[in-house]
């Protein structure tokens, strides 16, 4: 008979279940004590980083920076106040270190993926939608897929997309003219340009024309809804837990939108597989490229790794969905900021417009072609400067798997998420912008006053 006299319980007999409960409680208590000590140690080590005033003791800084214009102003003020970096709290237990100074940022961005891995919190919200595509994958899979996707960005493929960009921009111009003729005095530039980039991407990725700029599209609406739901979930700490999130109306909407997007992509992939020949794939690829009908799905279906292995349908879907998500919003943001900055400096806007008009002076139809992109040096400089001032991706998220020492001697503790704020964006110029600028100035004067 087992006895618990060592616990001061005298001769009370203990059943195996009582012992199991005791062991479980002891294990749980040990885990709580270990976590408490670790959390206390982390708090002490983070005291070297300044932090703005919390909203309250529980929510911390959650909701301090909203995804709005006012939120952007708050972020700008934070960066001006804490020029090297600062710590914020997402709820009572999750600290985030935001790095602002280039020297601090360089430490994280130059670190290996093993040291500064992708943040598992925010990226996990995208996983049900984007799968294991380039944005979310890591390690050997990321490296392999990155190599396999390289042919999709060869200029022989990209240059045929300029015609698609021109056509999509022309649809948007026509819509703007119609709205102005009907008496509209203001336009939400980002909304219109987002539809234009989604229209372009659907044509380039799937060879599918949804005419989403002129009429509603379930697929496009689902992508916009998914993007909004992911951003909203990040601001709701209790919704970070999947089992709670998917019980809510937002979680159910997210699942429905995911199914719609996945069904669309899967249908395109299956239909395209049926059209692939059993042999002579190289000739088939060359014929499509010559006919200027090669799209992103074609490249993914036909690409192989060094061992001759092709991408699975699931991998293709993940990469296609990733490019639809990552390509439309960032491009639309970059284009919108370029138009804003040119409106703030009408003398540069006029110079850009003259440069484009001079290039197209003796041409009919007046459309930009691939070879023209190198002939617009001043406009290219304006676009790159706008991207530097207002990068489409304002922050990246990394989780430190070990202590990281910053140049000033401060240490980012292991397991802490860090957010480098990029001061400069080195992305390539979106060719469609050259078409967008053509003819846009007169519309801009009629709709948005440059002095605002």
């Amino acid at each position: 008979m087992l006895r618990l006299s060592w616990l001061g319980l005298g001769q009370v007999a203990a059943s195996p279940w009582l012992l199991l409960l005791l062991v479980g409680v002891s294990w749980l208590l040990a885990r709580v004590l270990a976590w408490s000590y670790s959390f206390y140690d982390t708090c002490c080590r983070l005291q070297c980083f300044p932090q703005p005033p919390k909203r309250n003791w529980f929510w911390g800084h959650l909701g301090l920076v909203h995804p709005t214009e006012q939120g952007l102003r708050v972020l700008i003020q934070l960066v001006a106040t804490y020029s090297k970096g600062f710590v914020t709290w997402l709820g009572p237990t999750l600290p985030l270190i935001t790095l602002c100074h280039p020297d601090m940022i360089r430490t994280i961005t130059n670190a290996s993926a093993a040291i500064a891995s992708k943040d598992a919190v925010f990226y996990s919200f995208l996983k049900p939608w984007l799968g294991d595509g380039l944005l979310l994958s890591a390690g050997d899979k990321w490296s392999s897929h990155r190599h396999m996707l390289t042919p999709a960005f060869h200029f022989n493929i990209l240059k045929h997309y300029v015609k698609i960009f021109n056509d999509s921009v022309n649809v948007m111009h026509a819509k703007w003219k119609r709205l102005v003729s009907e008496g509209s005095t203001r336009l939400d530039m980002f909304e219109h340009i987002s539809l234009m980039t989604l229209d372009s991407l659907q044509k380039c990725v799937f060879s599918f024309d949804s005419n989403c700029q002129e009429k509603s599209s379930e697929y496009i609406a689902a992508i916009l809804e998914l993007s909004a739901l992911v951003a909203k979930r990040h601001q709701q700490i209790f919704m970070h837990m999947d089992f709670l999130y998917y019980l809510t109306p937002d979680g159910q909407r997210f699942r429905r939108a995911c199914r719609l997007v996945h069904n669309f992509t899967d249908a395109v992939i299956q239909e395209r597989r049926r059209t692939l020949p059993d042999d002579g794939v190289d000739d088939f690829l060359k014929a499509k490229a010559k006919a200027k009908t090669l799209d992103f799905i074609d490249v993914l279906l036909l690409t192989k790794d060094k061992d001759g292995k092709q991408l699975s349908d699931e991998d293709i879907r993940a990469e296609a969905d990733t490019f639809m998500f990552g390509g439309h919003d960032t491009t639309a943001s970059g284009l919108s900021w370029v138009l804003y900055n040119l409106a703030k400096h009408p003398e540069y806007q006029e110079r850009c417009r003259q440069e484009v008009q001079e290039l197209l002076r003796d041409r009919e139809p007046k459309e930009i072609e691939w070879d023209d992109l190198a002939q617009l040096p001043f406009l290219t400089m304006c676009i790159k400067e706008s991207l530097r001032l207002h990068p489409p991706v304002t922050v990246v998220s990394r989780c430190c798997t070990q202590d990281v020492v910053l140049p000033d001697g401060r240490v980012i503790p292991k397991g802490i998420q860090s957010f480098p704020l990029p001061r400069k964006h080195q992305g390539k110029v979106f060719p469609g912008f050259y078409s967008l600028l053509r003819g846009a100035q007169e519309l801009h004067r009629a709709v948005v006053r440059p002095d605002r």
Side-chain angles (χ1 to χ4, degrees), residues 101-120:
H101 194 278
D103 292 340
M104 306 296 173
I105 295 171
R106 192 178 298 115
T107 304
I108 297 297
T109 55
N110 287 351
S112 67
I115 296 175
S117 61
K118 294 179 179 179
D119 163 34

Side-chain angles (χ1 to χ4, degrees), residues 5-46:
S5 57
W6 59 281
L7 285 178
L9 298 180
Q11 302 298 314
V12 178
S15 70
W17 292 111
L18 186 57
L19 281 177
L20 185 62
L21 177 63
L22 181 62
V23 171
V25 171
S26 300
W27 176 85
L28 182 61
L29 180 60
R31 290 295 300 268
V32 170
L33 290 174
W35 178 87
S36 300
Y37 175 79
S38 176
F39 180 69
Y40 173 76
D41 180 64
T42 298
C43 292
C44 292
R45 299 178 68 185
L46 289 175

Side-chain angles (χ1 to χ4, degrees), residues 33-256:
L33 290 174
W35 178 87
S36 300
Y37 175 79
S38 176
F39 180 69
Y40 173 76
D41 180 64
T42 298
C43 292
C44 292
R45 299 178 68 185
L46 289 175
Q47 288 181 356
C48 60
F49 293 93
Q51 70 173 15
K54 293 182 178 180
R55 298 183 66 208
N56 61 54
W57 70 271
F58 183 80
W59 297 113
H61 300 92
L62 191 66
L64 180 64
V65 179
H66 290 282
T68 61
E69 181 176 350
Q70 181 57 34
L72 186 59
R73 294 182 186 277
V74 171
L75 183 60
I76 292 172
Q77 183 58 48
L78 288 174
V79 174
T81 305
Y82 310 103
S83 58
K84 289 191 174 182
F86 55 93
V87 63
T88 55
W89 290 83
L90 192 63
T93 61
L94 183 59
L96 312 173
I97 294 178
T98 301
L99 302 176
C100 310
H101 194 278
D103 292 340
M104 306 296 173
I105 295 171
R106 192 178 298 115
T107 304
I108 297 297
T109 55
N110 287 351
S112 67
I115 296 175
S117 61
K118 294 179 179 179
D119 163 34
V121 176
F122 179 71
Y123 285 162
S124 67
F125 303 160
L126 295 166
K127 196 82 169 180
W129 173 17
L130 304 183
D132 221 11
L134 276 183
L135 179 63
L136 305 184
S137 61
D140 292 339
K141 184 168 186 177
W142 180 91
S143 180
S144 174
H145 282 207
R146 180 65 184 87
H147 178 74
M148 294 174 73
L149 263 62
T150 299
F153 301 97
H154 193 280
F155 71 92
N156 281 335
I157 293 177
L158 293 179
K159 66 182 181 182
H160 300 310
Y161 292 162
V162 176
K163 173 63 175 173
I164 293 175
F165 299 151
N166 285 333
D167 292 342
S168 296
V169 170
N170 287 338
V171 171
M172 185 173 67
H173 278 165
K175 186 166 63 171
W176 286 358
K177 290 178 181 178
R178 184 173 67 252
L179 290 172
V180 171
S181 67
E182 293 172 354
S184 297
T185 58
R186 294 185 181 185
L187 290 177
D188 185 335
M189 301 295 286
F190 183 75
E191 178 184 336
H192 286 263
I193 295 175
S194 292
L195 288 175
M196 184 271 293
T197 57
L198 282 166
D199 187 23
S200 299
L201 278 171
Q202 265 200 302
K203 295 172 182 175
C204 296
V205 174
F206 302 114
S207 293
F208 184 82
D209 185 4
S210 66
N211 196 24
C212 64
Q213 296 192 73
E214 296 288 354
K215 64 179 183 180
S216 60
S217 163
E218 280 190 337
Y219 175 78
I220 298 300
I223 289 181
L224 295 174
E225 183 176 38
L226 287 169
S227 301
L229 288 172
V230 168
K232 181 180 178 181
R233 185 181 180 186
H234 190 255
Q235 297 292 323
Q236 300 172 316
I237 189 169
F238 291 117
M239 295 299 101
H240 288 191
M241 294 176 283
D242 285 345
F243 78 93
L244 283 180
Y245 182 66
Y246 290 116
L247 293 175
T248 66
D250 280 351
Q252 294 167 14
R253 288 169 55 203
F254 184 86
R255 276 185 164 163
R256 285 196 297 269

Side-chain angles (χ1 to χ4, degrees), residues 247-436:
L247 293 175
T248 66
D250 280 351
Q252 294 167 14
R253 288 169 55 203
F254 184 86
R255 276 185 164 163
R256 285 196 297 269
C258 274
R259 283 197 297 270
L260 193 153
V261 169
H262 291 167
N263 289 341
F264 176 86
T265 307
D266 288 340
V268 173
I269 294 171
Q270 294 304 317
E271 177 62 29
R272 204 66 59 82
R273 279 206 184 278
R274 284 194 288 270
T275 65
L276 287 177
D278 295 330
D279 50 18
V281 169
D282 290 339
D283 293 337
F284 176 80
L285 181 62
K286 291 177 182 178
K288 290 206 73 173
K290 187 175 181 180
K292 303 179 182 180
T293 59
L294 192 68
D295 60 27
F296 190 60
I297 294 292
D298 287 323
V299 176
L300 295 180
L301 284 168
L302 299 170
T303 191
K304 298 179 181 179
D305 64 14
K306 59 183 179 181
D307 298 322
K309 183 180 178 181
Q310 292 183 313
L311 292 171
S312 67
D313 286 358
E314 184 178 357
D315 287 335
I316 293 174
R317 184 182 74 186
E319 300 300 352
D321 289 344
T322 294
F323 273 80
M324 287 300 299
F325 164 69
H328 87 272
D329 191 73
T330 53
T331 305
S333 175
L335 294 175
S336 298
W337 277 115
V338 173
L339 289 177
Y340 171 82
N341 287 317
L342 286 177
K344 296 286 286 185
H345 301 278
E347 68 278 15
Y348 298 139
Q349 184 184 42
E350 181 60 30
R351 184 171 170 183
C352 289
R353 186 166 180 266
Q354 289 177 0
E355 188 176 63
V356 173
Q357 287 183 328
E358 179 64 25
L359 178 68
L360 303 177
R361 182 176 52 184
D362 300 321
R363 186 181 302 176
E364 285 296 337
K366 295 185 179 298
E367 291 189 347
I368 297 292
E369 299 175 356
W370 175 267
D371 294 334
D372 297 329
L373 302 182
Q375 309 302 317
L376 299 166
F378 185 77
L379 178 54
T380 300
M381 286 191 291
C382 289
I383 295 173
K384 289 185 175 181
E385 177 64 5
S386 179
L387 290 172
R388 185 187 72 84
L389 293 170
H390 301 102
V393 179
T394 57
V395 64
V396 295
S397 178
R398 293 292 181 264
C399 183
C400 299
T401 59
Q402 65 184 50
D403 288 357
V404 175
V405 181
L406 298 174
D408 61 1
R410 291 182 294 180
V411 177
I412 299 177
K414 173 183 176 181
I416 298 299
Q417 295 177 51
S418 61
F419 288 76
L421 286 171
R423 290 285 185 92
K424 188 173 183 179
H425 178 80
Q426 296 291 351
K428 294 185 178 180
V429 174
F430 175 63
F433 179 76
Y434 298 104
S435 302
L436 178 61

